[in-house]
Amino acid sequence: RAQQGVYKSQVSAEYSAVSAVIQQYIPSVNCGTVDPATNLADFQSALKAAGIDTVIEENQKQLDDWAASQAAE
């Protein structure tokens, strides 16, 4: 049986950096202690700098590979 979930080893550095950014920003956003009008742009910039696009691309690649393997069965 194949392992479920996303294999993070290909993007482990980016995944760790993105997780750190999320941990930094989400508590204040969730509590409403910051102005989303200004802090959302900072959050998005920090995610980009941490490598969120690379993580998303790898997740999509793995999903596409999985979908192709399901179609072949």
Side-chain angles (χ1 to χ4, degrees):
R1 182 170 185 223
Q3 182 176 350
Q4 295 180 350
V6 175
Y7 299 103
K8 297 178 189 105
S9 61
Q10 295 88 338
V11 290
S12 61
E14 293 89 349
Y15 187 86
S16 294
V18 166
S19 294
V21 169
I22 291 170
Q23 290 176 4
Q24 175 186 348
Y25 281 86
I26 288 298
S28 57
V29 171
N30 285 345
C31 293
T33 59
V34 295
D35 180 8
T38 55
N39 288 51
L40 183 58
D42 293 342
F43 183 31
Q44 290 170 330
S45 294
L47 287 171
K48 288 240 182 233
I52 190 73
D53 292 329
T54 303
V55 173
I56 291 170
E57 287 171 14
E58 180 61 27
N59 286 353
Q60 186 63 56
K61 178 190 171 297
Q62 291 182 29
L63 177 61
D64 293 345
D65 291 348
W66 174 83
S69 74
Q70 297 303 302
E73 289 182 2

